[in-house]
Amino acid sequence: METNNSDIVDDVQIKAQAYCFGDFIIAPGFRTAMNKAIVDDIGWGTARPSRFRPLIEYMFANITSDRPVLQLLVDEFINSWDAKKDDADDMQCLSEFPRAFVTRMLISFSRDKRASQEDRKKRRCYLEHGTEAEKKDCRKLHFHYEAKTDSGYMK
């Protein structure tokens, strides 16, 4: 059964705008709360490129590259996308995605393909933890930004 994801995308879009506002006014607690809200809400059913392009464009244009929420967007799209369900508009949108998003998708595909079955099953955390101790206590894989590829990996 295909999920109607319009409401989810709209909710995440509003939270992404609030996240950017929190970053702009240098309110890390607010930004962290919006990050958690996005992580909690995301779950797209079947991702259609034409429906998600505005959200992807907004987030990649307005959120700093080293933030884990961008990797969440990439990973969720990869896990939810079914190219067999794409129509002509979806196919056109694929060529219009931001370059940074497409680069991260390709890198993620490559890394996931080479990961062991055990590593693929490990849970990932996309939260912005307040301290390194809090991050360590989480016991999930966390995003590590790699400036040379403007991407990152889960470790």
Side-chain angles (χ1 to χ4, degrees), residues 3 6 8 10 17-18 27-28 45-46 53 56 66 70 87-88 90 97 108 110 113 122 130-131 134 140 144-145 152:
T3 305
S6 295
I8 293 169
D10 293 342
Q17 291 169 337
T46 302
R53 192 182 89 209
I56 291 166
D66 62 345
L70 293 179
D87 59 20
D90 292 322
F97 277 150
S108 293
S110 177
K113 180 180 176 186
K122 289 181 181 172
T131 65
E134 182 182 305
K140 294 179 184 175
H144 293 270
Y145 180 69

Side-chain angles (χ1 to χ4, degrees), residues 5-24:
N5 41 35
S6 295
D7 291 341
I8 293 169
V9 174
D10 293 342
D11 288 348
V12 172
Q13 178 82 35
I14 291 166
K15 289 172 182 156
Q17 291 169 337
Y19 177 95
C20 293
F21 178 71
D23 199 30
F24 177 74

Side-chain angles (χ1 to χ4, degrees), residues 27-79:
F30 179 76
R31 188 190 74 222
T32 300
M34 288 298 98
N35 170 261
K36 182 175 180 343
I38 292 168
V39 169
D40 290 347
D41 277 4
I42 223 161
W44 292 346
T46 302
R48 299 289 303 271
S50 58
R51 180 65 184 115
F52 293 97
R53 192 182 89 209
L55 174 64
I56 291 166
E57 287 175 341
Y58 178 83
M59 289 180 72
F60 272 82
N62 294 288
I63 296 176
T64 309
S65 296
D66 62 345
R67 300 290 165 74
V69 72
L70 293 179
Q71 190 62 39
L72 169 65
L73 195 63
V74 170
D75 291 346
E76 185 62 26
F77 188 84
I78 288 170
N79 292 330

Side-chain angles (χ1 to χ4, degrees), residues 140-155:
K140 294 179 184 175
L141 298 176
H142 290 87
F143 179 71
H144 293 270
Y145 180 69
E146 199 172 64
K148 70 180 181 180
T149 61
D150 193 28
S151 183
Y153 56 94
M154 301 304 277
K155 177 179 167 183

